[in-house]
Amino acid sequence: MDVKPRIARGRQFFANPGPTNIPDSILKAVAHVSIDFNDPAFLTVYDETVAGLKRILKTQHDIFLYTGSGHAAWEAALVNLFSPGDSLLVIETGHFSESWGKMAKDFGLDIRTLSADWRRGADFAALRAMLAEDTAHAIKAVCAVQNETATGMELSIAETRAALDAAGHPALLLVDTISSLGSLDFQMDAWGVDVAVAGSQKGLMLPTGLSFTGVSPKAMAAHKTSTLPKSYLHWTNMLGRRHKSFIGTVPTSLFYGLQESIRLLEEEGLDQVFVRHARLAEAVRRCVRHWSGNNGPSLFCANPDRYSNSVTAVLMPEGYDAEAVRKVALGTFNVSLGGGLNKLGGKVFRIGHLGDLNEPMILGTLATVEACLRVAGIPHTPGGVQAAIDYLAEAARAG
Ligand SMILES: *Cc1c(COP(=O)(O)O)cnc(C)c1O
């Protein structure tokens, strides 16, 4: 018998924390013919989707949208608010807080970092102390990543706000919600967030290429005196346009997708969306905890109060390479897992559990990862999937 090598059939299980699975109805919506972005038919869709994004950000403030990935919105926040030499306080969470800080340095900003252990997270008492010490109010903004996608840890934005208030510090609060918006609760106005940064390809389940910022009146006031060079991302230039965003052509197809994304999220109900994410995340954690016996892979996040409900980083046992697991997952079983970023390269693999996801997709992914551990010869306690099944069945029975 002349058996050809295996090739992938069936659907790829895409368990990356971004981009995420795109629902079929969004794929269909995005496949829209070209339309003039000033056509009244499109303007109706545009205005409705911008209003929908405000409901999801939980804000009454302006939002500005960009054709670009999350990095473009990061950059927009920096160049629109600051002047060379301004000081920013970055709360260290992991790869993404570090990258945002590096970008700020590239623009000539002065970066102070509240250092933190990537497995335990930042200490709010230390944050309060750093802010209280800055009696001259040199720190113009605090930059916080709500969900650190590299480590699988959530940072409480309410507590970050409380630290600023306790210190009586007037710094702006900038929050990256790129891997949390639409998956974990976020309340821009209630938490006093001045700039919320978000992107399309994670919780919003869209293709990559659209990002946006919610901007408070206090941030708009800071924008007026900012001198960093800007043009394409310039908020004042955008305000003069009909769309109050986009200096050039509006990516109309993505707005048809966004309209469907907002419809899906609101049909399910945002609170129910968060409950679903919490449930699936807990199933993943129970499974990984089971594997961790017998010197198996374990949860990278060592602070249970801060587990992320949108992504779990799985720490390999000493001496074993996470890339070996990912390679088997993709090459043999057609499951795409996230890799370790920055100093976690080879040390962790990441299971994304955000966006368009249900129990069978999670169970299929976990079962396959367990098979990969066996194939790659990684020590573990077999049967982790049973722990996930037990939890999900119990949750379903409880309603
Ligand atoms: C993905 C991600 C980014 C970067 O966004 P891009 O769309 O890849 O540019 C920034 N911050 C966080 C927390 C992310 O998860």
Side-chain angles (χ1 to χ4, degrees):
M1 209 168 54
D2 181 20
V3 182
K4 294 182 181 180
R6 277 192 196 206
I7 61 165
R9 283 286 184 258
R11 204 166 249 241
Q12 180 176 77
F13 267 40
F14 195 75
N16 259 288
T20 65
N21 296 286
I22 305 176
D24 292 350
S25 66
I26 291 184
L27 284 174
K28 285 187 189 129
V30 166
H32 196 279
V33 293
S34 292
I35 182 168
D36 182 339
F37 54 89
N38 286 310
D39 188 311
F42 176 71
L43 289 174
T44 305
V45 172
Y46 183 82
D47 292 341
E48 276 175 20
T49 50
V50 171
L53 284 183
K54 290 187 188 185
R55 291 193 297 274
I56 291 170
L57 281 170
K58 298 183 180 160
T59 188
Q60 309 274 345
H61 306 321
D62 288 336
I63 63 175
F64 294 97
L65 299 110
Y66 322 98
T67 308
S69 77
H71 279 73
W74 266 357
E75 182 162 326
L78 298 174
V79 298
N80 276 291
L81 293 172
F82 305 116
S83 303
D86 278 355
S87 294
L88 267 52
L89 172 55
V90 173
I91 301 176
E92 181 175 8
T93 51
H95 172 70
F96 288 99
S97 68
E98 191 177 298
S99 303
W100 200 6
K102 276 191 183 141
M103 178 189 269
K105 268 193 201 139
D106 287 343
F107 284 108
L109 301 174
D110 166 55
I111 300 308
R112 307 177 187 191
T113 304
L114 173 67
S115 306
D117 178 330
W118 287 16
R119 297 193 68 187
R120 308 217 126 260
D123 174 13
F124 287 103
L127 176 62
R128 283 193 295 276
M130 264 180 106
L131 290 167
E133 263 166 42
D134 180 35
T135 49
H137 296 161
I139 295 168
K140 297 287 181 245
V142 171
C143 298
V145 176
Q146 186 188 13
N147 186 70
E148 175 52 74
T149 323
T151 63
M153 194 185 294
E154 185 176 359
L155 179 74
S156 165
I157 301 307
E159 280 193 65
T160 307
R161 174 77 261 165
L164 278 155
D165 293 347
H169 200 292
L172 297 167
L173 175 57
L174 276 49
V175 180
D176 171 338
T177 72
I178 296 177
S179 65
S180 43
L181 193 70
S183 305
L184 317 179
D185 190 22
F186 178 73
Q187 305 181 24
M188 177 165 176
D189 293 359
W191 295 340
V193 174
D194 293 297
V195 176
V197 175
S200 56
Q201 80 276 22
K202 298 189 185 177
L204 297 180
M205 310 168 284
L206 288 163
T208 310
L210 185 73
S211 55
F212 52 97
T213 47
V215 179
S216 76
K218 184 173 159 188
M220 278 314 285
H223 165 64
K224 297 284 189 287
T225 59
S226 141
T227 65
L228 278 178
K230 49 192 159 288
S231 176
Y232 180 60
L233 300 173
H234 201 310
W235 292 342
T236 302
N237 293 352
M238 289 182 174
L239 280 175
R241 314 258 306 174
R242 162 63 179 82
H243 300 80
K244 304 215 181 306
S245 287
F246 303 109
I247 303 300
T249 305
V250 178
T252 51
S253 300
L254 287 172
F255 279 88
Y256 289 97
L258 184 53
Q259 184 181 42
E260 175 60 9
S261 159
I262 294 165
R263 193 194 69 75
L264 289 171
L265 289 170
E266 293 188 334
E267 178 186 56
E268 187 177 357
L270 275 183
D271 290 338
Q272 186 60 250
V273 170
F274 304 148
V275 167
R276 173 168 56 85
H277 280 77
R279 182 171 70 240
L280 298 178
E282 180 59 21
V284 172
R285 291 190 290 263
R286 294 211 179 192
C287 177
V288 176
R289 247 189 240 114
H290 185 97
W291 290 336
S292 71
N294 197 18
N295 187 36
S298 55
L299 294 170
F300 179 78
C301 177
N303 188 342
D305 293 337
R306 299 192 187 180
Y307 286 145
S308 162
N309 284 335
S310 69
V311 53
T312 296
V314 182
L315 178 64
M316 296 296 287
E318 198 61 43
Y320 292 91
D321 184 5
E323 291 308 295
V325 177
R326 291 181 70 221
K327 201 169 151 210
V328 176
L330 189 63
T332 305
F333 297 119
N334 201 21
V335 169
S336 175
L337 301 170
L341 297 174
N342 200 307
K343 65 185 183 191
L344 299 183
K347 294 190 165 38
V348 307
F349 63 86
R350 293 173 303 145
I351 300 175
H353 34 82
L354 74 165
D356 190 42
L357 213 61
N358 59 19
E359 277 80 353
M361 292 160 86
I362 280 290
L363 289 171
T365 297
L366 293 173
T368 307
V369 172
E370 189 164 322
C372 293
L373 295 177
R374 202 180 290 191
V375 174
I378 315 291
H380 64 285
T381 301
V385 182
Q386 188 62 50
I389 293 171
D390 292 347
Y391 176 74
L392 291 173
E394 199 44 55
R397 225 180 341 195

